[in-house]
Structure formats: structure tokens, C-alpha cells
Amino acid sequence: MEVSFIVCVLVGVFLGPTDGHVVANFRDSPDCIKFFYKEKVPDLGASLLDVVHLCQRFLNTYHFATLYNTHYRTAVYSAYIFQPSNGGGRETRWFVEPQLVNPSWSSQMEDGYKLSQQNPDIYLGEKQALNEDYTNSGFDRGHLNPNGHHAVPGRNSTFTLTNVVPQNPTLNQNAWNKHESKLTSLFNANCDQAYVLVGAIPSFNNWIIKNNLKRVNIPEYIWNAYCCVDQNGRPILSGAATALNTELNVVVERSLDEMVDFLQQFSDAPVNELFSGQCKS
């Protein structure tokens, strides 16, 4: 089983149609922009030098978009549209992005172990996290875009290391998991569609260290935000939440405006809206 994707990076490299394609931003790809409410891409992270835009594709369908920081080797955020889960779809493999190794490589998201076996002399992890970075690290491979917010095959597509961060196990398996389940119930009961952003705020200098090298930044906070709309596309609910990435195991719920103020503390550039009109009717 293979997972396809389009890598949308900030450099002007263009690949042939059979190899996927590269664009400057999400707005240039109809397959990416649809995951943002009214096609409004957040300004958050846009001015960072080390970000790439990933349009995650699986079985010829695009399932979510990820703004990925190749310096921290974690995502700024993943953006998706909620789907009721139909069970199944939990992967035993963790995928990597071949085009983050070499832009001329396959557009297929591939099993990191398999790809490393096929290319034993090429290091895959210069610009992305690898599965072995998390091994014995003391941290979970914490999904940003949660697998439980998708039906198969979208659920499979979330098992890429560009969509996970080092998450405190207590938080990941308890308070944050309960928060994701609470959102599932909220979205199922009230929303025709729910547009969701889930991100991580990097720590100043806390990393998973492997072989004396800083490999993956351990986020200070995990956060999410949502915009829930009715069958006419009108906003009816919105909200956000943050969690300190520690054993404190507490999720703090916020309004979208409060979320912008919170994120602004960690950004030199204006955060502005997370959703078009801040999801207000």
C-alpha cells in the first residue's frame, strides 16, 4: 500500500506531472486549499524560512495539508476537514516524504524503513524526522491531525512523520485524547463540516537528541482550532484549545480570538485570523 502526496515548497522547483508538482503556497493547489475554510490560509508560520507546504494524498485522494518546519522537524500545523471515523485504518508503518530528501524522488509518501533499505547510502532525515528518532525517546509519536477524525482511507494518511510531534505520553493518551474525542462528538452532533487546524509551538531548546545531534524539537504547547459550519456553509460554532506538553495533562479551551492572542506571544509576525472572518457569521 502506498500513500501519495504533493510537496509544495517555497522554492521554484517544478517536477513532471508523473512526479507530483511543487508550488509556492497552498493557494496554488486546489487540492490543498480546500482544507481551509473559504480558502483562507492562516498567516501563522508563513514568514518562516524553513517551512515546506505538503499536500497529503492517499489512494488518489487528498486528505489534509501540512505546513512543515524542516529545521525543527515538526509541523507548524496540519489543516483538515473532519470526517466521522468508520474504524480500522491504523498503520503499523510510519511514512516519510521522499521529496524532502531529493526533489526528483517519487511523489509517493513511502514507508521510511523500506525507503532507507532501498537507499542505504543516503540519509533520509536531514529535513524530516525519522521513526528511529522517536525510539526510546520517552515521547509518543503524537498525531496533530488525529487518525480518529477520519474515515478510512483518510485515517491511514495521517501516519506520516510530517504529521506527528514528540508528545508527552501522559498528555497524548489522556487529556488530549479526551479532547479529541469530545470534538468528535461535537462535530458529529452539530456540524455539516468542521474545518480544523492542529499545531505545535516549538520549545526554545528542548530536543530529542540522537548521536549527540538535535533531531526533533519537543514542542512547548500543542494546540487546535476549529470552525464548524452548517449545510449552507455558514459558521455556527468555533473554538480552540491549548495544552502544555508535559505531564500536567491539562487542556485549556479558548475562543478563536483568545487563540490568536495566545499564538501571538510566540510569533514575531502578526498571526491575524486563523479562519476567514474568524468563523463568524
Side-chain angles (χ1 to χ4, degrees):
M1 178 172 53
E2 290 184 318
V3 183
S4 305
F5 70 100
I6 295 175
V7 179
C8 318
V9 298
L10 296 180
V11 295
V13 180
F14 292 87
L15 305 175
T18 60
D19 295 321
H21 65 274
V22 179
V23 297
N25 56 59
F26 292 133
R27 296 178 185 87
D28 293 339
S29 173
D31 297 310
C32 273
I33 196 66
K34 66 184 180 182
F35 298 110
F36 300 90
Y37 175 58
K38 290 190 174 181
E39 302 187 352
K40 169 69 171 68
V41 178
D43 294 332
L44 180 69
S47 63
L48 298 176
L49 297 177
D50 299 310
V51 294
V52 294
H53 297 71
L54 307 176
C55 301
Q56 313 281 9
R57 183 184 177 203
F58 178 68
L59 296 180
N60 296 317
T61 301
Y62 295 85
H63 295 283
F64 64 106
T66 301
L67 185 65
Y68 188 73
N69 190 308
T70 59
H71 171 69
Y72 292 124
R73 301 185 184 91
T74 57
V76 179
Y77 62 76
S78 284
Y80 65 95
I81 298 173
F82 170 80
Q83 294 176 304
S85 176
N86 56 4
R90 289 193 63 87
E91 281 287 347
T92 58
R93 301 168 293 175
W94 288 99
F95 297 101
V96 297
E97 307 289 358
Q99 289 184 351
L100 292 185
V101 182
N102 186 324
S104 68
W105 279 17
S106 169
S107 64
Q108 302 297 315
M109 185 191 299
E110 295 185 13
D111 176 1
Y113 175 78
K114 179 180 177 181
L115 192 63
S116 67
Q117 294 296 302
Q118 294 170 341
N119 300 275
D121 298 326
I122 299 177
Y123 182 55
L124 306 182
E126 181 180 350
K127 294 184 177 180
Q128 62 189 313
L130 302 177
N131 193 36
E132 53 262 36
D133 291 327
Y134 286 85
T135 302
N136 299 320
S137 69
F139 290 88
D140 283 358
R141 298 164 181 83
H143 281 72
L144 293 180
N145 176 5
N147 68 84
H149 281 193
H150 293 272
V152 172
R155 187 170 185 175
N156 305 74
S157 73
T158 65
F159 285 82
T160 164
L161 289 161
T162 57
N163 181 52
V164 303
V165 298
Q167 193 166 7
N168 180 279
T170 300
L171 175 66
N172 185 41
Q173 299 168 31
N174 293 278
W176 194 253
N177 180 270
K178 292 176 181 177
H179 176 64
E180 291 174 339
S181 296
K182 179 180 177 179
L183 290 182
T184 295
S185 298
L186 180 73
F187 297 157
N188 280 329
N190 297 283
C191 310
D192 185 71
Q193 281 192 315
Y195 295 84
V196 189
L197 299 169
V198 190
I201 297 173
S203 60
F204 176 69
N205 196 27
N206 193 14
W207 295 74
I208 291 178
I209 306 292
K210 295 287 182 176
N211 299 318
N212 296 316
L213 296 174
K214 294 178 179 179
R215 285 295 304 149
V216 187
N217 185 271
I218 300 166
E220 184 173 355
Y221 286 93
I222 312 296
W223 63 271
N224 65 17
Y226 65 87
C227 177
C228 168
V229 302
D230 64 17
Q231 60 185 1
N232 296 312
R234 293 177 300 201
I236 54 176
L237 285 172
S238 66
T242 58
L244 190 65
N245 190 25
T246 69
E247 290 187 357
L248 185 63
N249 195 34
V250 173
V251 173
V252 178
E253 296 189 13
R254 304 174 184 273
S255 69
L256 289 184
D257 289 342
E258 290 170 342
M259 188 73 242
V260 168
D261 291 342
F262 182 86
L263 292 171
Q264 190 63 67
Q265 301 174 79
F266 306 95
S267 176
D268 293 331
V271 173
N272 299 319
E273 297 178 339
L274 294 176
F275 299 100
S276 176
Q278 280 296 75
C279 193
K280 295 175 183 177
S281 55

